[in-house]
Amino acid sequence: MSSFYILINVAMFIYACYSWYWQANLELKGKYRISLLLWTIFIIWLGFTWNYIETEEVGINVFLALLLLVSITDGFTGFTSKRAVVSGYFKRTLKYADIDHVLLINLPLTEKPSVICILGTKNGRQYNLQFSRDVHEIISTLQKYADHQIQIEIRDTL
């Protein structure tokens, strides 16, 4: 079983470095999504409560530390010069060429500007990002980095 943890820990470490690289290159940073970290802590707690996680295993401490590290870094979203960084375990980045349309929802009820950005792709998937920025700043960033014309729709909640 220890060889299993070595393999999993190496894969998690590589993914953590990949995720950290994209998080470090964010030029327009979105709001941090704490829900990923909370769900990870909840699942770890369930694993210990229901005795699915064996504490005697040698690689479990490193695995749990890497799992928490990945959950922390995956909470950051935003835009880099090459890709949009989305929050999730299975899809971390999104090429600008894959983005078909963008829906920006302005939330005027908060003190700071707050915008929900929904990125729609050509294959029908949608990715949610949240920003504490002005709508025009998000639009200018998308137009700066996208090499094609993206359909942008702006809505207000009221």
Side-chain angles (χ1 to χ4, degrees), residues 8-139:
I8 289 295
N9 289 341
V10 168
M12 289 281 284
F13 180 75
I14 291 170
Y15 179 76
C17 291
Y18 172 79
S19 184
W20 203 324
Y21 167 80
W22 286 110
Q23 183 262 328
N25 287 318
L26 288 175
E27 294 187 20
L28 183 66
K29 191 179 279 192
K31 288 183 182 178
Y32 183 76
R33 295 186 67 172
I34 197 161
S35 62
L36 283 173
L37 182 60
L38 294 176
W39 277 109
T40 301
I41 291 171
F42 179 69
I43 289 170
I44 290 171
W45 176 78
L46 281 179
F48 278 115
T49 303
W50 293 344
N51 293 324
Y52 286 123
I53 298 175
E54 297 179 19
T55 56
E56 297 86 29
E57 198 64 44
V58 176
I60 192 70
N61 294 334
V62 175
F63 172 74
L64 292 174
L66 286 169
L67 185 63
L68 286 173
L69 176 67
V70 165
S71 297
I72 291 169
T73 56
D74 276 357
F76 291 102
T77 60
F79 298 120
T80 68
S81 60
K82 297 180 182 177
R83 294 179 181 212
V85 178
V86 296
S87 180
Y89 289 114
F90 302 110
K91 182 81 170 173
R92 184 65 177 137
T93 62
L94 184 63
K95 295 178 185 176
Y96 289 116
D98 294 340
I99 299 174
D100 186 47
H101 61 281
V102 176
L103 173 61
L104 299 174
I105 302 172
N106 211 0
L107 302 172
L109 299 176
T110 59
E111 289 180 15
K112 295 180 181 179
S114 187
V115 175
I116 296 174
C117 176
I118 301 172
L119 304 174
T121 62
K122 294 177 182 176
N123 62 0
R125 296 186 184 249
Q126 293 183 341
Y127 299 93
N128 177 19
L129 288 81
Q130 296 180 9
F131 293 95
S132 293
R133 306 288 181 137
D134 187 48
V135 173
H136 301 292
E137 189 174 351
I138 297 168
I139 292 172

